[in-house]
């Protein structure tokens, strides 16, 4: 569920597979999986728009081998040595097919790394475009994704106005609240089945951009709170 806080094991259990890579393509109607990170020492330069409705996701490097000890010095590959598409290739091929034939865009469940072993559910995004361009050293893929219509949001008139109106809790607020609340439910101290919660409900005018209105609740206390809201 969007805004859930998950351990790596919980995330893998939820998806039913061991997530050993960040790019996991599945053709529609199935939904792929993307693991992203904007932490200081992240291996790739993943970015989000100010209102977090768009993601610019960097493609992945060739695997490190004896012959390629420094993949960061090589162009990111579209195909493997045997000619089969890499995950970069699968992403790019599908975008090309969408543009050429009008087929359904690929959808991805996105998880963002908050800290070692801790992830947050960002919800579904659609892959809409890509570029293969130089970063000053080599060529890299840049994949553009937009928040899926399955998660409604208002188009921004300005970044500041949209941030005030969106239900999406910004990553900076999540990081602050997670640290402030000690990674546990503020009601009972549980560290299982956690969720970022609007203290004053968004549906009643509560904001997502002030940490004072965001807290961590476990599933039980989140449900208890929802039952009391009229």
């Amino acid at each position: 569920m969007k805004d859930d806080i998950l351990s790596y094991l919980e995330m893998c259990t939820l998806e039913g597979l061991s997530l050993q890579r960040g790019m996991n393509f599945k053709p529609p109607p199935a939904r792929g999986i993307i693991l992203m990170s904007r932490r200081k020492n992240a291996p790739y330069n993943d970015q989000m728009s100010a209102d977090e409705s768009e993601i610019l996701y960097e493609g992945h490097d060739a695997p490190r081998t004896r012959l390629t000890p420094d993949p960061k010095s090589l162009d990111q590959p579209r195909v493997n040595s045997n000619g089969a598409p890499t995950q970069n290739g699968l992403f790019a091929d599908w975008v090309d097919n969408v543009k050429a034939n009008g087929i359904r865009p690929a959808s991805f469940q996105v998880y963002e790394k908050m800290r070692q072993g801790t992830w947050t559910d960002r919800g579904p995004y659609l892959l809409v475009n890509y570029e293969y361009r130089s970063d000053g050293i080599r060529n890299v893929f840049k994949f553009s994704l937009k928040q899926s219509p399955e998660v409604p949001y208002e188009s921004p008139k300005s970044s500041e106005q949209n941030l005030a109106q969106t239900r999406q809790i910004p990553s900076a607020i999540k990081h602050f609240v997670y640290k402030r609340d000690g990674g546990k439910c503020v009601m009972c101290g549980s560290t299982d089945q956690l969720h970022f919660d609007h203290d004053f409900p968004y549906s009643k005018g509560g904001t997502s951009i002030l940490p004072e209105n965001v807290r961590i609740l476990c599933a039980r206390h989140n449900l208890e709170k929802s039952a009391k809201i009229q």
Side-chain angles (χ1 to χ4, degrees):
M1 182 183 295
K2 187 172 172 292
D3 291 331
D4 277 356
I5 302 169
L6 303 164
S7 69
Y8 174 75
L9 181 59
E10 288 172 331
M11 184 172 63
C12 291
T13 301
L14 182 66
E15 294 296 342
L17 72 162
S18 178
L19 296 168
Q20 299 296 323
R21 61 191 181 199
M23 302 175 71
N24 301 270
F25 178 83
K26 294 181 181 179
R31 187 165 66 189
I33 300 167
I34 283 178
L35 308 183
M36 65 174 289
S37 175
R38 292 180 291 160
R39 302 172 73 219
K40 182 178 179 180
N41 296 320
Y44 300 104
N45 185 24
D46 300 333
Q47 302 172 47
M48 297 190 81
S49 61
D51 65 353
E52 304 196 353
S53 66
E54 298 184 20
I55 295 173
L56 189 62
Y57 187 76
E58 187 169 290
H60 285 194
D61 300 335
R64 187 184 302 274
T65 68
R66 181 176 59 83
L67 298 177
T68 57
D70 182 17
K72 292 293 183 186
S73 67
L74 303 175
D75 291 344
Q76 290 184 343
R78 185 162 180 156
V79 296
N80 294 314
S81 58
N82 62 6
T86 62
Q87 287 293 310
N88 296 327
L90 292 173
F91 276 51
D93 288 349
W94 196 267
V95 172
D96 290 343
N97 204 0
V98 170
K99 292 180 178 180
N101 301 306
I103 63 174
R104 180 177 177 177
S107 176
F108 294 87
Q109 176 67 31
V110 178
Y111 296 99
E112 183 175 6
K113 190 173 188 176
M114 296 184 61
R115 60 187 63 202
Q116 190 64 36
T118 304
W119 300 77
T120 184
D121 184 345
R122 298 216 64 94
Y125 283 74
L126 297 176
L127 176 62
V128 295
N129 205 358
Y130 76 93
E131 293 182 332
Y132 190 54
R133 67 187 193 215
S134 173
D135 65 357
I137 300 175
R138 61 185 181 141
N139 290 319
V140 298
F141 285 93
K142 294 289 186 177
F143 296 101
S144 300
L145 298 102
K146 291 189 176 182
Q147 198 171 46
S148 171
E150 297 171 45
V151 181
Y153 68 98
E154 297 187 34
S155 298
K157 295 181 181 178
S158 71
S159 295
E160 182 177 354
Q161 181 181 21
N162 189 69
L163 278 172
Q165 294 175 346
T166 183
R167 185 185 186 95
Q168 184 101 316
I169 301 172
S171 292
I173 300 299
K174 288 183 176 181
H175 283 274
F176 179 90
V177 170
Y178 189 90
K179 183 175 181 180
R180 182 199 67 197
D181 294 350
K184 57 188 177 183
C185 175
V186 298
M187 302 295 291
C188 67
S190 173
T191 57
D192 296 324
Q193 295 184 295
L194 301 178
H195 187 84
F196 287 106
D197 172 72
H198 293 86
D199 189 10
F200 187 66
Y202 174 81
S203 60
K204 295 183 178 295
T207 180
S208 298
I209 65 170
L210 294 177
E212 294 84 357
N213 194 51
V214 180
R215 59 184 179 173
I216 294 177
L217 291 182
C218 66
R220 179 170 70 87
H221 282 105
N222 193 36
L223 288 173
E224 286 181 358
K225 175 196 169 183
S226 298
K228 294 177 182 177
I229 296 174
Q230 300 298 323

